[in-house]
Amino acid sequence: MLWGVQGISVVVVIMMAPLVLGITQVVKARLQGRRGPSLWWGYWVLAKTWGKETTVPEYSSWIFRVAPSISLAAMILVAGTIPWAGRVPNSWPHDLLTLFFLLALERFWVGLAGLDSAGTFGGLGSSRITTLGAGIEPALFAAFGILWAVSGRTAITPVVGHLSLLPWGMATVSYGLVILAELGRLPIDNVDTHLELTMMHEATVLEYDGRLLAENQAAVAIKYTALLGLGWVWLSPSLASPLLTAVLHIVEIMGTAALVGGIESRFSKLRYFQVPTYLAMASGLGLLAFYLVMTGGFN
Amino acid sequence: MLTYGIVAIGLAASVAAFNRVLSQYLMLGLSIGVLALAVIGLWDFRSIHLWTPYFQMTPLRAWFLLVVGIVSTMAAWYRVGYQQHNQVFTGFWLPWFVLAMAAVILSQTVWVFMTAWEVMAATSFLLVVSHHEEPGVIKAGYIYLVMSQISAMAILAGLLLMAASLHSMNFALWAAKARFLPWETKSGVFALLTLGFAIKCGIIPFHVWLPRAHPVAPAPVSSLMSGAMIKLGVFGIVQFLLMDLGATALLWPIVLLVLGAVSSLLGVLYALMEHDLKRLLAYHSIENIGIIFLGLGVMGVGIDLHHPQIAVVGLVASLFHTLNHALFKSQLFLAAGAVEQHTGTLDAEHLGGLIRTIPGVALGFLLGSMAISALPPFNGFVSEWLTFRGLLSLATGFHGLWAASALGLALVLATTSALAGMCFVKASGVTFLGQPRQRVAQVPLGRSITAPILGLALISLALGVFPEPVVRVIGSIDPTTSYHAVSLLLPIKTTLIAVLLGIAVVALVLLARPSQARTVPRWACGGDATPAMQFSSSSMTKAIRTTFAVIYRPHRQLSRIGENSRDFPERLVYKGGTTPTWERYLYRPGYQMAWWLSKSTARIQAGPVRLYLTYLLVAVGMMLLVLH
């Protein structure tokens, strides 16, 4: 039962990833007074890019050609590592640190591919995303503070039911701030811009086209969906039935995607050198939540 | 029998230094002999009978001997294809160096230990100055020599203190009795030995010799020193302080944790600012030793709190990371040596695009980068995971602020590993990818120079995919713990992750069909593309330099050159850099103070015999006065 639910949920999450991106785009457009694309926009873009001719820049090597596949594979594994029903069979990998290092693997290869394109934009992008990564990794670690405090293990498990509202709320805000940065959304990075002054992830994939670009786009979409869902998996309560829990999480993902669209319409981009402060704030909140739980006054 | 054979081959290799090929094969034989001894020792350490009571095999020693054996085997193999000046000089001292390291590990009394330690320090100094005709080499060597002598003196003092308290020079007795010493004695020993071994490891603030000595040494020597020799400091701390002394005041493990955290974070931050590949790798050694120290600190806290589970996580994490760092760091140093031999330079700002001329070395460096950045499915991931696990069990084992500080250490480790990833994106990206930044030489390399690099990468990968046997071996090193170490690793399932990752990547590459891609000019905003428009090693890390300006204290200078240079400069010269904080604010004043002290003493030691007779008279008079 659990095996089946987990397997199906992983497939559903991966397949619905372009739709989740589409929801954010549509909500954003409506809030900004535009009509916006269709909800199925993400699939259409992927199909269009997949059908185009693949080109690679001169001076690039095999690194540039395999990097999208490695990022996409790492993101598929990230989606698979998350226990969508709130729990998984013990032999299914569901370790949080593995998930962090899979994100680091993706960042490493995106960064390398940026440098391999031998252009200015690629290097600019890889410098920016790796610098950002250095702040995001500890912040993610801190955001999960209450998970370590409650379970004492590194497995991804729901924490609700062991906590009072205050540390839970702080951890939720902290996690939200960190994943907005990790996913490259506003107020850290703007996915819709192609201005060299502002773009980060887009700069690393600027030279890609065709199937390689499609793989990159799919990786971005799956990362978006999986990390939005991860928040619900560990921060929201699980139902008695695994199937219902998984369905609930998937509905929650769509709701959060709409929320991100709202946030992106409400806030403008932070200055690049203010991002460390933003991430330090997120880590501080996570650490404080951990401290509250460990002193025992709030649970 | 085996040991006599090893010593004989070693001496023969040293003597045969004049015949290049013979000495290289004898050196390879020596290294394989050491490796065999280590493997037999790990299998059944009681079956090895050395020269009692001066040498003895234990499981811990077998583990460190394994580290030395693997690194020296690969370095010896690499030397077959490596061209350097003063081949005879290096060839003569290298066997001595390896034998001395083995003797340090296996020694059973204070005198044998210290003799071997000093032989190791002296031969490594001689190997560092192999290229002594080049400028700056002797100076770097002297800095190393001074630091290693301070280290040796501190270690000698610590060991003698322990020997005096236990009335024995024999380490076997120490293992049995040292745990019953009063905590004041233990603290004295701990302070002295931590200082001595930390200098040898290159822990910040004792790190200054490392980034100087490594770049000037030949690549096989750098890889041996960084991969094997600095690990002997870790060996000393585990054997004497954590295993022999047992529980001490909780202060000392905390000192280890703080040293580890400072070294790992500052090590990687300094590494980010380096453009010289070997200096960059040297700073990464500091970082990784810091990570090992974090593991040691976890082990120490576990011992002090009588918590065997925490202690064994710390032990497994630090010893596993010791082996892993030996593997990927020697691999990276050998690859850097290959780059130097291929192009004649190590300055990343002049390189680029080497993946097309030396694809094997590039692959080796890339795989090593992934391993050192702790990316799955490589071995660095497993040992860093274990270190995180140890810090987390500290964090959840305490309450309140202590718990938060332990989690803070984990955050430091997370920052370190992310920065290390960035640094290796920079190092491998700027050196091997893109378009060459300048015209450099392209000396073709032989296969025997690439094979050991890729061989080490293969071992790293194998340990990352199948870590369970290694963890089982390390878990059995400390006989006092009965905790089942392998169960610690159950949640990661590295084998499954690696297989899934491999299948997914291969399938996706086949789907994307990148080999059919058409090559087009890169985007240069409509202008002409030049190599200078690529990001360089220093522009990659510009944001880090600004964010951590407190640590780096960056400075830059823009000079305008030419007639009427203020308004119409013909040329702009940009110079930028960071302030060497430790050298300027710690070592420079210390050096000046030592200089001033020795000058002042010279005044009372002016040379006339009458003066000395007066001193003698005064001294005798004072003695009589006191004794009376």
Side-chain angles (χ1 to χ4, degrees):
Chain A
M1 175 68 183
L2 224 45
W3 284 94
V5 171
Q6 174 70 9
I8 293 169
S9 319
V10 172
V11 174
V12 168
V13 165
I14 291 172
M15 298 313 278
M16 73 187 261
L19 171 66
V20 176
L21 268 187
I23 294 174
T24 307
Q25 277 323 82
V26 169
V27 169
K28 216 156 93 173
R30 292 289 157 83
L31 286 175
Q32 292 166 358
R34 293 181 283 125
R35 217 174 74 216
S38 124
L39 268 183
W40 312 102
W41 165 83
Y43 297 96
W44 182 78
V45 169
L46 269 185
K48 183 188 77 176
T49 332
W50 186 264
K52 285 169 85 174
E53 187 194 8
T54 309
T55 61
V56 292
E58 52 186 342
Y59 295 112
S60 66
S61 63
W62 60 268
I63 304 271
F64 188 83
R65 294 162 199 243
V66 303
S69 306
I70 293 180
S71 341
L72 181 52
M75 286 310 110
I76 291 174
L77 250 67
V78 163
T81 311
I82 300 171
W84 293 104
R87 55 186 187 276
V88 278
N90 236 344
S91 47
W92 188 291
H94 56 294
D95 181 67
L96 192 52
L97 296 182
T98 311
L99 189 146
F100 291 174
F101 282 106
L102 284 170
L103 292 176
L105 178 71
E106 184 242 16
R107 196 180 302 128
F108 187 88
W109 278 89
V110 169
L112 274 186
L115 284 173
D116 199 26
S117 67
T120 309
F121 296 101
L124 187 138
S126 50
S127 165
R128 287 179 182 171
I129 59 157
T130 48
T131 308
L132 214 60
I136 289 172
E137 210 159 291
L140 256 180
F141 214 93
F144 279 92
I146 61 171
L147 176 71
W148 322 126
V150 167
S151 77
R153 296 185 303 134
T154 55
I156 306 174
T157 45
V159 293
V160 190
H162 307 272
L163 290 168
S164 64
L165 203 57
L166 183 66
W168 180 85
M170 286 162 65
T172 309
V173 174
S174 167
Y175 179 78
L177 291 176
V178 181
I179 57 157
L180 281 182
E182 171 68 29
L183 295 171
R185 313 300 296 202
L186 282 172
I188 303 302
D189 185 12
N190 189 349
V191 286
D192 295 330
T193 181
H194 275 95
L195 217 65
E196 65 273 22
L197 281 178
T198 50
M199 59 183 172
M200 293 184 194
H201 185 272
E202 281 297 306
T204 56
V205 299
L206 192 77
E207 299 279 2
Y208 277 110
D209 205 353
R211 294 192 170 187
L212 294 176
L213 179 61
E215 286 196 346
N216 265 321
Q217 287 170 338
V220 168
I222 293 173
K223 185 177 175 183
Y224 185 62
T225 313
L227 290 190
L228 288 188
L230 173 63
W232 291 107
V233 166
W234 76 283
L235 287 167
S236 81
S238 298
L239 306 178
S241 150
L243 188 63
L244 280 181
T245 317
V247 171
L248 177 70
H249 287 326
I250 285 167
V251 174
E252 284 166 338
I253 292 175
M254 300 199 194
T256 332
L259 181 69
V260 173
I263 294 174
E264 291 219 302
S265 308
R266 176 71 185 75
F267 293 98
S268 57
K269 194 167 170 301
L270 272 181
R271 234 160 45 85
Y272 181 50
F273 284 109
Q274 284 171 345
V275 174
T277 321
Y278 170 94
L279 288 172
M281 205 170 70
S283 327
L285 262 179
L287 258 179
L288 205 58
F290 172 81
Y291 177 70
L292 289 182
V293 174
M294 289 310 285
T295 44
F298 286 85
N299 53 353
Chain B
M1 227 19 240
L2 182 61
T3 43
Y4 290 120
I6 291 171
V7 174
I9 294 177
L11 297 180
S14 183
V15 173
F18 297 96
N19 182 335
R20 193 189 136 124
V21 175
L22 184 63
S23 86
Q24 274 163 353
Y25 283 107
L26 284 173
M27 179 69 205
L28 198 58
L30 162 68
S31 311
I32 293 173
V34 172
L35 193 59
L37 190 65
V39 170
I40 299 171
L42 280 176
W43 190 260
D44 179 17
F45 70 95
R46 286 184 195 83
S47 68
I48 291 187
H49 300 287
L50 301 168
W51 188 17
T52 46
Y54 303 106
F55 293 97
Q56 177 74 43
M57 180 67 97
T58 65
L60 177 73
R61 294 175 186 183
W63 180 258
F64 279 88
L65 207 58
L66 180 77
V67 171
V68 172
I70 292 181
V71 176
S72 64
T73 305
M74 292 303 182
W77 183 8
Y78 177 86
R79 277 189 79 232
V80 175
Y82 184 70
Q83 303 289 339
Q84 63 164 100
H85 325 294
N86 302 350
Q87 186 88 33
V88 175
F89 187 82
T90 314
F92 183 80
W93 290 113
L94 210 53
W96 286 98
F97 181 45
V98 173
L99 282 178
M101 284 198 287
V104 166
I105 293 171
L106 293 173
S107 62
Q108 186 69 353
T109 73
V110 175
W111 301 122
V112 178
F113 183 87
M114 279 320 292
T115 312
W117 187 271
E118 286 291 27
V119 172
M120 178 181 85
T123 47
S124 59
F125 162 72
L126 289 168
L127 288 168
V128 164
V129 297
S130 282
H131 298 164
H132 44 72
E133 71 283 350
E134 287 169 20
V137 172
I138 291 284
K139 190 185 170 196
Y142 276 145
I143 291 177
Y144 168 55
L145 192 62
V146 169
M147 292 305 279
S148 67
Q149 284 315 301
I150 298 173
S151 146
M153 288 307 109
I155 292 169
L156 182 61
L159 292 182
L160 287 182
L161 178 59
M162 191 118 117
S165 322
L166 291 169
H167 307 290
S168 167
M169 295 283 182
N170 193 321
F171 292 163
L173 201 86
W174 291 18
K177 286 195 177 162
R179 66 188 70 245
F180 304 115
L181 284 174
W183 73 270
E184 298 89 345
T185 322
K186 282 187 180 181
S187 294
V189 173
F190 221 111
L192 285 167
L193 289 188
T194 306
L195 173 70
F197 289 128
I199 295 174
K200 202 64 182 178
C201 289
I203 282 287
I204 288 177
F206 314 117
H207 65 289
V208 282
W209 64 270
L210 236 140
R212 288 183 170 72
H214 282 307
V216 298
V221 175
S222 309
S223 91
L224 261 173
M225 281 176 65
S226 196
M229 188 192 74
I230 62 172
K231 304 297 159 31
L232 297 193
V234 176
F235 165 71
I237 289 180
V238 176
Q239 165 158 309
F240 296 121
L241 300 183
L242 297 176
M243 285 189 166
D244 286 0
L245 284 186
T248 52
L250 193 54
L251 170 72
W252 294 110
I254 293 175
V255 167
L256 290 183
L257 285 172
V258 171
L259 285 178
V262 169
S263 296
S264 57
L265 188 58
L266 287 184
V268 71
L269 281 175
Y270 291 140
L272 276 162
M273 290 305 128
E274 289 301 334
H275 312 313
D276 180 302
L277 270 186
K278 272 187 165 181
R279 276 178 73 91
L280 182 145
L281 292 176
Y283 275 118
H284 271 288
S285 292
I286 298 169
E287 175 227 328
N288 278 284
I289 286 287
I291 296 174
I292 295 173
F293 264 56
L294 284 175
L296 296 180
V298 170
M299 183 188 176
V301 174
I303 291 172
D304 283 0
L305 298 181
H306 303 288
H307 203 311
Q309 187 180 338
I310 294 182
V312 85
V313 183
L315 177 79
V316 174
S318 52
L319 291 193
F320 199 177
H321 201 69
T322 303
L323 175 67
N324 291 345
H325 179 248
L327 291 170
F328 50 64
K329 187 47 68 65
S330 51
Q331 173 189 347
L332 289 165
F333 264 119
L334 296 181
V339 168
E340 190 179 21
Q341 183 152 336
H342 178 63
T343 64
T345 176
L346 278 171
D347 191 345
E349 304 284 39
H350 300 167
L351 298 172
L354 292 183
I355 197 168
R356 278 181 294 281
T357 53
I358 38 173
V361 176
L363 180 65
F365 194 90
L366 185 73
L367 296 179
S369 302
M370 286 179 73
I372 199 171
S373 310
L375 299 178
F378 285 89
N379 55 358
F381 164 62
V382 182
S383 50
E384 239 173 77
W385 187 92
L386 284 165
T387 314
F388 270 122
R389 192 70 196 76
L391 291 172
L392 279 183
S393 46
L394 284 194
T396 50
F398 287 105
H399 292 288
L401 272 183
W402 286 107
S405 330
L407 191 64
L409 290 178
L411 299 194
V412 169
L413 184 54
T415 317
T416 304
S417 83
L419 285 172
M422 174 178 192
C423 192
F424 277 98
V425 167
K426 178 193 99 163
S428 40
V430 173
T431 313
F432 294 101
L433 307 182
Q435 187 183 3
R437 285 171 178 72
Q438 284 187 9
R439 282 189 77 84
V440 288
Q442 289 182 355
V443 181
L445 298 177
R447 191 176 298 157
S448 66
I449 214 165
T450 317
I453 302 173
L454 292 176
L456 282 163
L458 211 60
I459 303 176
S460 285
L461 184 62
L463 290 188
V465 178
F466 306 106
E468 278 87 358
V470 185
V471 173
R472 200 169 295 139
V473 167
I474 305 174
S476 66
I477 281 178
D478 189 358
T480 56
T481 54
S482 55
Y483 190 77
H484 193 46
V486 181
S487 66
L488 295 170
L489 270 179
L490 282 179
I492 24 179
K493 300 179 191 57
T494 45
T495 321
L496 186 59
I497 297 267
V499 169
L500 289 177
L501 203 58
I503 293 174
V505 169
V506 170
L508 288 170
V509 168
L510 289 179
L511 264 179
R513 291 189 302 199
S515 55
Q516 298 179 9
R518 185 163 60 92
T519 304
V520 294
R522 60 207 142 142
W523 175 240
C525 301
D528 291 330
T530 66
M533 73 183 207
Q534 301 173 90
F535 260 51
S536 66
S537 172
S538 49
S539 53
M540 255 310 265
T541 51
K542 165 74 185 160
I544 295 284
R545 199 153 57 239
T546 315
T547 311
F548 292 95
V550 183
I551 292 171
Y552 294 127
R553 297 155 183 266
H555 53 82
R556 59 176 165 185
Q557 188 189 5
L558 190 66
S559 30
R560 292 143 189 271
I561 292 171
E563 268 176 76
N564 194 3
S565 60
R566 199 175 69 85
D567 299 322
F568 302 102
E570 285 164 15
R571 219 150 48 84
L572 289 174
V573 177
Y574 170 85
K575 267 187 196 161
T578 53
T579 312
T581 315
W582 297 102
E583 283 84 343
R584 186 170 297 176
Y585 299 108
L586 185 67
Y587 284 91
R588 181 60 55 184
Y591 172 73
Q592 279 163 350
M593 189 129 96
W595 193 238
W596 176 80
L597 265 178
S598 59
K599 258 189 173 164
S600 321
T601 36
R603 205 168 296 161
I604 56 169
Q605 209 185 2
V609 180
R610 289 166 310 209
L611 201 61
Y612 292 159
L613 284 176
T614 322
Y615 291 157
L616 220 64
L617 202 65
V618 171
V620 169
M622 275 166 70
M623 244 165 73
L624 284 176
L625 213 63
V626 170
L627 290 180
H628 188 69

